[in-house]
Amino acid sequence: MHDFRLITLAPCALTLGLLAALPAHAAEEDPRFTLRLGAMQIDTDNTIRGSTNIAGQDINLSEDFDLGGKEWEPRVDGLFRISDRQRLIFDYFKYDKDHRETLGDSVSVGDITVPAGSFVKGELKYQVATLVYDYSVVDGEQFDFGLQLGAEYAKVSANAYADLGDLYQDRFIDEKTDGVAPVVGARLTFTPSEHWLINLQGQYLNTRWGSFDDYKGDLSRANAIVQYNFNKNFGIFAGYDWFKLDADKRGSDGVIGLKQEFKGPLAGVSLSF
């Protein structure tokens, strides 16, 4: 597992004495700590875009690219219950994929020949870790609605190398950034019976809120899980997760942008104490 920085969030005192919320239900039997260990089958949609000016001519580019197939990657989330209405929620997601395309036959265009065996290979690494303070604005027997405020760490790196014989041999993409930014979110939790739990969550951050160098854009996330608890300490869950990164970097030569969506089903086990 690649290194990632631990995010430390000093829990904020959210003054939510606004809404006449439903009476809080007794939570003596609710676990203090829950850890979900699972994996996500990730499918990606990727678009690289850019604009520059060459010899007085404006050049614009927008290309979709495929990383080749779906990938199973680890996914972890945890919950620490401070009180009936207050929680700390942690999420971690990782994606690491490399892909290589090799030319089977030589290709000639005019006087230029690209020899057979030429190849282009690339690698994408993506990590997100989130820690939020969650306050239940509505805390009922079977329905819970929470608002979230916290911090999110994201790290993205992409590189690509081409070997085209005598024509070109070099790395032509080498971009990476990481940073921390405030994140806001909301959560809906349904407990229709003793054994079943349904959880929906959405989060959003803007890179301008944090330390992401010259990258400007946003990161959005939404997920849903259905969990079956065999007893108070052990359960299994399945669901769906979706992330979207959409950011641009402006430099002296122009603008380069990247839009990526990571989505797919997930499943795992839940441990509660």
CSV table of all heavy atoms in Angstrom, one decimal, residues 183-208:
chain,number,residue,atom,x,y,z
A,183,VAL,N,-13.5,19.6,3.6
A,183,VAL,CA,-14.5,18.9,2.9
A,183,VAL,C,-15.8,19.0,3.6
A,183,VAL,O,-15.9,19.1,4.8
A,183,VAL,CB,-14.1,17.4,2.6
A,183,VAL,CG1,-14.0,16.7,4.0
A,183,VAL,CG2,-15.1,16.7,1.8
A,184,VAL,N,-16.9,19.1,2.9
A,184,VAL,CA,-18.3,19.2,3.5
A,184,VAL,C,-19.0,18.0,2.9
A,184,VAL,O,-18.8,17.5,1.8
A,184,VAL,CB,-19.0,20.5,3.2
A,184,VAL,CG1,-18.3,21.7,3.8
A,184,VAL,CG2,-19.1,20.7,1.6
A,185,GLY,N,-20.0,17.5,3.7
A,185,GLY,CA,-20.8,16.4,3.3
A,185,GLY,C,-22.1,16.2,4.0
A,185,GLY,O,-22.4,17.0,4.9
A,186,ALA,N,-22.8,15.2,3.7
A,186,ALA,CA,-24.1,14.8,4.3
A,186,ALA,C,-24.2,13.3,4.3
A,186,ALA,O,-23.7,12.6,3.4
A,186,ALA,CB,-25.2,15.5,3.6
A,187,ARG,N,-25.0,12.8,5.2
A,187,ARG,CA,-25.2,11.4,5.4
A,187,ARG,C,-26.7,11.1,5.7
A,187,ARG,O,-27.3,11.8,6.5
A,187,ARG,CB,-24.3,10.8,6.5
A,187,ARG,CG,-24.5,9.4,6.9
A,187,ARG,CD,-23.7,9.0,8.1
A,187,ARG,NE,-24.0,10.0,9.2
A,187,ARG,CZ,-25.0,9.9,10.1
A,187,ARG,NH1,-25.9,8.9,9.9
A,187,ARG,NH2,-25.2,10.8,11.0
A,188,LEU,N,-27.2,10.0,5.2
A,188,LEU,CA,-28.5,9.4,5.5
A,188,LEU,C,-28.3,8.0,5.9
A,188,LEU,O,-27.7,7.2,5.2
A,188,LEU,CB,-29.4,9.5,4.3
A,188,LEU,CG,-29.9,10.9,3.9
A,188,LEU,CD1,-30.7,10.7,2.6
A,188,LEU,CD2,-30.8,11.5,5.0
A,189,THR,N,-28.8,7.6,7.1
A,189,THR,CA,-28.7,6.2,7.6
A,189,THR,C,-30.1,5.7,7.9
A,189,THR,O,-30.8,6.4,8.6
A,189,THR,CB,-27.8,6.1,8.8
A,189,THR,OG1,-26.5,6.7,8.5
A,189,THR,CG2,-27.6,4.7,9.2
A,190,PHE,N,-30.4,4.6,7.4
A,190,PHE,CA,-31.7,3.9,7.7
A,190,PHE,C,-31.4,2.6,8.4
A,190,PHE,O,-30.5,1.8,8.0
A,190,PHE,CB,-32.5,3.6,6.4
A,190,PHE,CG,-32.8,4.9,5.6
A,190,PHE,CD1,-31.9,5.3,4.6
A,190,PHE,CD2,-34.0,5.6,5.8
A,190,PHE,CE1,-32.2,6.4,3.9
A,190,PHE,CE2,-34.3,6.7,5.1
A,190,PHE,CZ,-33.4,7.1,4.1
A,191,THR,N,-32.2,2.3,9.5
A,191,THR,CA,-32.1,1.0,10.1
A,191,THR,C,-33.5,0.4,10.2
A,191,THR,O,-34.1,0.5,11.3
A,191,THR,CB,-31.5,1.2,11.6
A,191,THR,OG1,-32.2,2.2,12.2
A,191,THR,CG2,-30.0,1.6,11.5
A,192,PRO,N,-33.9,-0.2,9.1
A,192,PRO,CA,-35.3,-0.7,9.1
A,192,PRO,C,-35.6,-1.9,10.1
A,192,PRO,O,-36.7,-2.1,10.4
A,192,PRO,CB,-35.5,-1.2,7.7
A,192,PRO,CG,-34.1,-1.4,7.2
A,192,PRO,CD,-33.2,-0.4,7.9
A,193,SER,N,-34.5,-2.6,10.5
A,193,SER,CA,-34.7,-3.6,11.5
A,193,SER,C,-33.4,-3.8,12.2
A,193,SER,O,-32.4,-3.1,12.0
A,193,SER,CB,-35.0,-5.0,10.8
A,193,SER,OG,-33.9,-5.4,10.0
A,194,GLU,N,-33.4,-4.8,13.1
A,194,GLU,CA,-32.2,-5.0,14.0
A,194,GLU,C,-31.0,-5.4,13.2
A,194,GLU,O,-29.9,-5.0,13.6
A,194,GLU,CB,-32.6,-6.1,15.0
A,194,GLU,CG,-31.4,-6.4,16.0
A,194,GLU,CD,-31.8,-7.6,16.9
A,194,GLU,OE1,-32.9,-8.0,16.8
A,194,GLU,OE2,-30.9,-8.0,17.6
A,195,HIS,N,-31.2,-6.1,12.1
A,195,HIS,CA,-30.0,-6.7,11.4
A,195,HIS,C,-29.6,-5.9,10.2
A,195,HIS,O,-28.5,-6.1,9.6
A,195,HIS,CB,-30.4,-8.1,11.0
A,195,HIS,CG,-30.5,-9.0,12.1
A,195,HIS,ND1,-29.5,-9.5,12.8
A,195,HIS,CD2,-31.6,-9.6,12.7
A,195,HIS,CE1,-29.9,-10.3,13.8
A,195,HIS,NE2,-31.2,-10.4,13.7
A,196,TRP,N,-30.5,-5.0,9.7
A,196,TRP,CA,-30.2,-4.3,8.4
A,196,TRP,C,-29.9,-2.8,8.6
A,196,TRP,O,-30.4,-2.1,9.5
A,196,TRP,CB,-31.4,-4.4,7.5
A,196,TRP,CG,-31.7,-5.7,6.9
A,196,TRP,CD1,-32.5,-6.7,7.4
A,196,TRP,CD2,-31.0,-6.3,5.8
A,196,TRP,NE1,-32.4,-7.8,6.7
A,196,TRP,CE2,-31.5,-7.6,5.7
A,196,TRP,CE3,-30.0,-5.9,4.9
A,196,TRP,CZ2,-31.1,-8.5,4.7
A,196,TRP,CZ3,-29.6,-6.7,3.9
A,196,TRP,CH2,-30.1,-8.0,3.8
A,197,LEU,N,-28.9,-2.3,7.8
A,197,LEU,CA,-28.5,-0.9,7.8
A,197,LEU,C,-28.3,-0.5,6.4
A,197,LEU,O,-27.7,-1.2,5.6
A,197,LEU,CB,-27.3,-0.7,8.7
A,197,LEU,CG,-26.7,0.7,8.7
A,197,LEU,CD1,-26.1,1.0,10.1
A,197,LEU,CD2,-25.6,0.9,7.7
A,198,ILE,N,-28.8,0.7,6.1
A,198,ILE,CA,-28.6,1.3,4.7
A,198,ILE,C,-28.0,2.7,5.0
A,198,ILE,O,-28.5,3.5,5.7
A,198,ILE,CB,-29.9,1.5,4.0
A,198,ILE,CG1,-30.6,0.1,3.8
A,198,ILE,CG2,-29.7,2.1,2.6
A,198,ILE,CD1,-32.0,0.2,3.3
A,199,ASN,N,-26.8,3.0,4.3
A,199,ASN,CA,-26.1,4.2,4.5
A,199,ASN,C,-25.8,4.9,3.2
A,199,ASN,O,-25.3,4.3,2.3
A,199,ASN,CB,-24.8,3.9,5.3
A,199,ASN,CG,-24.2,5.2,5.8
A,199,ASN,OD1,-24.7,5.7,6.8
A,199,ASN,ND2,-23.2,5.7,5.2
A,200,LEU,N,-26.2,6.2,3.1
A,200,LEU,CA,-25.9,7.0,1.9
A,200,LEU,C,-25.1,8.2,2.3
A,200,LEU,O,-25.3,8.8,3.3
A,200,LEU,CB,-27.2,7.5,1.3
A,200,LEU,CG,-28.3,6.4,1.0
A,200,LEU,CD1,-29.6,7.1,0.5
A,200,LEU,CD2,-27.9,5.4,0.0
A,201,GLN,N,-24.1,8.5,1.5
A,201,GLN,CA,-23.2,9.6,1.9
A,201,GLN,C,-22.7,10.4,0.6
A,201,GLN,O,-22.5,9.8,-0.4
A,201,GLN,CB,-22.0,9.0,2.6
A,201,GLN,CG,-21.0,10.0,3.1
A,201,GLN,CD,-19.9,9.4,4.0
A,201,GLN,OE1,-19.8,9.6,5.2
A,201,GLN,NE2,-19.0,8.6,3.3
A,202,GLY,N,-22.6,11.7,0.8
A,202,GLY,CA,-22.0,12.5,-0.3
A,202,GLY,C,-21.1,13.5,0.3
A,202,GLY,O,-21.3,14.1,1.3
A,203,GLN,N,-19.9,13.8,-0.4
A,203,GLN,CA,-18.9,14.8,0.0
A,203,GLN,C,-18.4,15.6,-1.1
A,203,GLN,O,-18.4,15.1,-2.3
A,203,GLN,CB,-17.8,14.0,0.7
A,203,GLN,CG,-18.2,13.3,2.0
A,203,GLN,CD,-17.1,12.5,2.6
A,203,GLN,OE1,-16.1,12.1,1.9
A,203,GLN,NE2,-17.2,12.2,3.9
A,204,TYR,N,-17.9,16.8,-0.8
A,204,TYR,CA,-17.4,17.7,-1.8
A,204,TYR,C,-16.3,18.6,-1.3
A,204,TYR,O,-16.4,19.0,-0.1
A,204,TYR,CB,-18.6,18.6,-2.4
A,204,TYR,CG,-18.1,19.7,-3.3
A,204,TYR,CD1,-17.9,19.4,-4.7
A,204,TYR,CD2,-17.8,21.0,-2.9
A,204,TYR,CE1,-17.5,20.3,-5.6
A,204,TYR,CE2,-17.4,21.9,-3.8
A,204,TYR,CZ,-17.2,21.6,-5.1
A,204,TYR,OH,-16.8,22.6,-6.0
A,205,LEU,N,-15.3,18.8,-2.1
A,205,LEU,CA,-14.3,19.8,-1.8
A,205,LEU,C,-13.9,20.5,-3.0
A,205,LEU,O,-14.0,20.0,-4.2
A,205,LEU,CB,-13.0,19.2,-1.1
A,205,LEU,CG,-12.0,18.3,-1.9
A,205,LEU,CD1,-11.0,19.2,-2.7
A,205,LEU,CD2,-11.2,17.5,-1.0
A,206,ASN,N,-13.4,21.7,-2.9
A,206,ASN,CA,-12.8,22.5,-3.9
A,206,ASN,C,-11.3,22.7,-3.7
A,206,ASN,O,-10.9,23.0,-2.5
A,206,ASN,CB,-13.5,23.9,-4.0
A,206,ASN,CG,-13.2,24.6,-5.3
A,206,ASN,OD1,-12.0,25.0,-5.5
A,206,ASN,ND2,-14.2,24.9,-6.1
A,207,THR,N,-10.5,22.5,-4.7
A,207,THR,CA,-9.0,22.6,-4.4
A,207,THR,C,-8.6,24.0,-4.0
A,207,THR,O,-7.5,24.2,-3.4
A,207,THR,CB,-8.3,22.2,-5.7
A,207,THR,OG1,-8.6,23.1,-6.8
A,207,THR,CG2,-8.6,20.8,-6.1
A,208,ARG,N,-9.4,25.0,-4.3
A,208,ARG,CA,-9.0,26.4,-3.9
A,208,ARG,C,-9.1,26.5,-2.4
A,208,ARG,O,-8.5,27.5,-1.8
A,208,ARG,CB,-10.0,27.4,-4.6
A,208,ARG,CG,-9.9,27.4,-6.1
A,208,ARG,CD,-10.9,28.4,-6.7
A,208,ARG,NE,-10.9,28.4,-8.1
A,208,ARG,CZ,-10.2,29.1,-8.9
A,208,ARG,NH1,-9.4,30.0,-8.3
A,208,ARG,NH2,-10.3,29.0,-10.2
